[in-house]
Amino acid sequence: MSVPRRLEASFRQSAILRCPSLTRRPRLPISQSPAASTRQQSSQALRKLHQHAPRKAQQAAAVEIEPDFLIPEPTNPALSFPCLDAVESRSALLSRRSFAGPEPSYTTGNHLNFHSHQPLLLDWGGILPEFDIAYETWGTLNQEKNNAILLHTGLSASSHAHSTEANPKPGWWEKFIGPGKPLDTNRYFVICTNVIGGCYGSTGPSSFDPSNNERYATRFPILTMEDMVRAQFRLLDNLGIDKLYASVGSSMGGMQSLAVGVLFPERVGRIVSISGCARSHPYSIAMRHTQRQVLMMDPNWARGFYYDRIPPHGGMKLAREIATVTYRSGPEWEQRFGRRRADPSRPPALCPDFLIETYLDHAGEKWCLEYDPNSLLYVSKAMDLFDLGQEHRNRINRLRQENSGKLQAFLDGRAIPSDTSDDICNLTLPDRPYEEKEQEAAIDAGEVETNDSHEPPPDLVAGLKALTNTPTLVLGVASDILFPAWQQREIASTLKRTGNKNVTHIELGEEKSLFGHDTFLLDLENVGGAVKTFLG
């Protein structure tokens, strides 16, 4: 809406009265005015400083007004934001490329595929009518089929743990698998899968729903670690493997490895859980929550229906940067980066400036188009829901029993009963906001449960009772901030409390490893050596 001329004149007169230094001068073409000349010089100097053109948004903000008085120059020039320019440029590029098909394709090369025609009932009531499991193998399955090791992945890893003839690209555990290595392929038949919910060949949100041949997107059902394990055991059934020699996993894989022992204790001989936990704790839940939030707030996420459009690469980049902060450690970064800046000769900038910032920026940029954003949401949520305590297991078992009718209806070709609650997926906030309480007051009110820090929770002891007779290696890293070493101590002490006499607990101090949570990917000597010794 335009401003009436009379009001416009009034505004100008008022401005002059408030600022006597604004004296009227003859009108000049803007390009010839002293102010424009100064602005042009400042802009040129700024471009030279950052080697990047100012953002179009900044140029557009400098609206050309026909002034009757001189507009004072700002004290300082505006900063440039090459990091934001890069995100905008990538969006523009992806916008042009989206006409050619989905972006990106998410693949790591050739792999094997198992297709289950039988439906899978999930813990929280969802149903997968059929599903694919992408997997790769190394070594030879012996005649008795008793030398198989199931290797579980971290959150964003594919089945490509080691190079194969079909896919010679190095895998994420390349140095740990092979003849004479910790997972010795002269002795063992190693199987690694991409979890359901993932995007590297297994059925996930980017897959097509067979009922309507449309992408699941956020119509994909909520998953749990146990759902992923049940799908893996469908593959083992297909391969004719009744009992695993061992279940091995790190990070999220360490959680799955324990879940194997709880769900199928009679089908696994040994358990290896590295940098994992028996239940997710608030800190790791909080960090994954923030990753999901920045991703979901990217406008390109579009409630999960971004396929064949511009993907939410900006949100994914930020999510990965947050994750990277938790994957490595302070001591390592102190040695690698310290407080050094990328270019001390330049003035400080709000874009990546310190070496650690440029490292995080690179990590996010490299990964933001390599993994399906919806898979990140679903798989990370499954990690949050992980709890092997007996109370939680009882609740899930009751829920599965209640939902068994859904599965039978599907098998019978009848309409699947829908949830009757209209707000089943809605968050209901309390009437009164959460308030911090003083510790003494909370204790006096009897609202805080006290427990000896050396005594495992009884609920967890009951939940892990199935592992009483299963030899287990639990390995933790002191510099790990995402899965702190006390969580592995909790697993070990809980297993011992169940009566398990074959628990091996190893904790790598900072003198042995400064790599934090990522130690399991990097430390062949300490992590690999412990695994090799335990497997015998």
Side-chain angles (χ1 to χ4, degrees):
M1 181 179 294
S2 61
V3 180
R5 292 183 178 276
R6 184 174 300 172
L7 289 177
E8 183 180 355
S10 176
F11 291 156
R12 289 177 176 173
Q13 183 64 29
S14 175
I16 294 173
L17 290 175
R18 289 195 303 271
C19 305
S21 61
L22 303 181
T23 58
R24 293 180 180 272
R25 297 189 179 183
R27 291 187 181 180
L28 293 173
I30 292 182
S31 61
Q32 299 178 13
S33 68
S37 177
T38 304
R39 283 195 295 271
Q40 185 176 7
Q41 293 173 2
S42 298
S43 178
Q44 290 174 347
L46 193 61
R47 282 199 296 270
K48 184 176 181 181
L49 175 64
H50 292 280
Q51 296 297 313
H52 202 95
R55 293 178 61 204
K56 293 180 180 179
Q58 292 176 349
Q59 294 174 333
V63 179
E64 294 187 355
I65 305 173
E66 293 186 3
D68 286 334
F69 52 87
L70 180 64
I71 300 176
E73 285 297 311
T75 304
N76 303 297
L79 293 175
S80 67
F81 293 92
C83 51
L84 301 184
D85 293 341
V87 173
E88 292 173 355
S89 296
R90 172 161 274 190
S91 289
L93 175 63
L94 293 173
S95 178
R96 292 192 296 271
R97 292 177 64 181
S98 65
F99 292 107
E103 175 67 38
S105 59
Y106 309 117
T107 181
T108 56
N110 295 327
H111 55 257
L112 300 171
N113 184 71
F114 163 68
H115 182 79
S116 174
H117 294 280
Q118 296 300 314
L120 181 67
L121 175 66
L122 306 179
D123 277 345
W124 287 94
I127 291 178
L128 290 181
E130 55 189 62
F131 61 91
D132 290 321
I133 291 287
Y135 72 103
E136 296 177 50
T137 67
W138 304 268
T140 303
L141 184 63
N142 63 19
Q143 188 173 358
E144 295 78 14
K145 296 187 176 182
N146 62 4
N147 68 332
I149 292 179
L150 181 59
L151 175 61
H152 306 274
T153 72
L155 184 155
S156 59
S158 71
S159 61
H160 194 60
H162 188 272
S163 54
T164 64
E165 184 176 341
N167 183 4
K169 178 182 178 182
W172 56 266
W173 235 29
E174 185 74 18
K175 296 180 180 180
F176 291 73
I177 302 172
K181 301 292 179 64
L183 299 190
D184 189 348
T185 51
N186 287 334
R187 302 180 59 190
Y188 309 120
F189 179 62
V190 182
I191 310 165
C192 184
T193 80
N194 179 220
V195 298
I196 57 170
C199 57
Y200 293 125
S202 295
T203 295
S206 60
S207 302
F208 290 91
D209 185 343
S211 66
N212 59 10
N213 203 34
E214 294 181 358
R215 302 233 190 213
Y216 279 107
T218 45
R219 288 185 292 255
F220 197 78
I222 290 293
L223 290 168
T224 66
M225 294 289 108
E226 292 85 344
D227 291 329
M228 298 173 184
V229 168
R230 290 190 185 94
Q232 290 171 326
F233 270 72
R234 291 275 186 93
L235 166 64
L236 296 181
D237 292 340
N238 184 69
L239 295 175
I241 299 173
D242 294 327
K243 185 173 182 177
L244 292 168
Y245 181 82
S247 173
V248 177
S250 305
S251 187
M252 184 182 84
M255 302 158 82
Q256 290 179 308
S257 194
L258 290 173
V260 166
V262 171
L263 292 178
F264 304 101
E266 73 288 351
R267 296 190 64 179
V268 61
R270 293 167 177 76
I271 297 290
V272 176
S273 180
I274 304 168
S275 297
C277 64
R279 53 182 180 170
S280 285
H281 292 270
Y283 175 80
S284 57
I285 293 174
M287 296 309 296
R288 288 188 289 266
H289 163 76
T290 57
Q291 294 170 50
R292 290 193 296 270
Q293 287 290 290
V294 297
L295 169 55
M296 294 165 64
M297 290 182 183
D298 186 322
N300 289 327
W301 181 62
R303 300 299 193 271
F305 292 87
Y306 51 80
Y307 300 107
D308 301 322
R309 304 178 186 177
I310 303 172
H313 60 97
M316 281 293 279
K317 177 179 178 178
L318 291 174
R320 186 62 171 186
E321 290 190 34
I322 295 171
T324 303
V325 170
T326 69
Y327 293 159
R328 293 301 180 94
S329 72
E332 181 210 3
W333 283 355
E334 186 67 36
Q335 290 185 10
R336 288 179 63 187
F337 307 113
R339 289 185 42 80
R340 297 191 300 278
R341 294 176 56 217
D343 188 348
S345 67
R346 294 185 179 184
L350 296 180
C351 280
D353 183 18
F354 284 91
L355 282 180
I356 182 60
E357 294 176 316
T358 63
Y359 169 75
L360 293 174
D361 185 70
H362 172 73
E365 189 68 31
K366 177 183 176 183
W367 191 75
C368 67
L369 291 176
E370 293 184 357
Y371 195 74
D372 181 36
N374 282 339
S375 286
L376 174 62
L377 298 177
Y378 278 88
V379 177
S380 70
K381 189 65 179 181
M383 294 179 71
D384 291 352
L385 295 171
F386 186 64
D387 184 354
L388 292 179
Q390 190 60 50
E391 182 179 350
H392 179 72
R393 297 305 316 147
N394 290 342
R395 179 187 179 188
I396 291 298
N397 289 335
R398 287 194 301 268
L399 192 59
R400 290 185 64 84
Q401 183 62 36
E402 293 169 4
N403 287 318
S404 61
K406 291 184 178 182
L407 184 60
Q408 190 59 49
F410 178 84
L411 292 171
D412 295 342
R414 296 181 283 114
I416 300 176
S418 59
D419 296 297
T420 56
S421 176
D422 293 333
D423 62 350
I424 190 169
C425 293
N426 293 337
L427 173 66
T428 302
L429 296 175
D431 294 332
R432 295 183 60 185
Y434 174 79
E435 296 178 357
E436 295 286 351
K437 297 179 180 179
E438 293 185 5
Q439 189 70 11
E440 291 79 4
I443 294 175
D444 292 342
E447 297 177 10
V448 175
E449 294 184 6
T450 58
N451 186 36
D452 185 351
S453 61
H454 300 290
E455 190 70 18
D459 177 63
L460 200 58
V461 174
L464 293 183
K465 197 71 176 176
L467 285 169
T468 300
N469 299 314
T470 307
T472 305
L473 168 64
V474 183
L475 192 149
V477 180
S479 58
D480 189 344
I481 63 173
L482 183 59
F483 287 79
W486 66 263
Q487 293 184 8
Q488 291 84 56
R489 289 197 293 269
E490 180 180 67
I491 297 172
S493 62
T494 300
L495 289 175
K496 291 176 182 177
R497 179 61 60 162
T498 67
N500 193 323
K501 307 289 187 188
N502 295 299
V503 179
T504 302
H505 176 228
I506 297 174
E507 183 174 318
L508 302 180
E510 290 186 3
E511 73 282 358
K512 289 189 176 181
S513 180
L514 298 177
F515 298 117
H517 187 63
D518 274 357
T519 295
F520 74 89
L521 293 170
L522 305 168
D523 195 335
L524 179 61
E525 178 183 357
N526 293 304
V527 175
V531 172
K532 184 175 184 179
T533 300
F534 176 77
L535 293 178

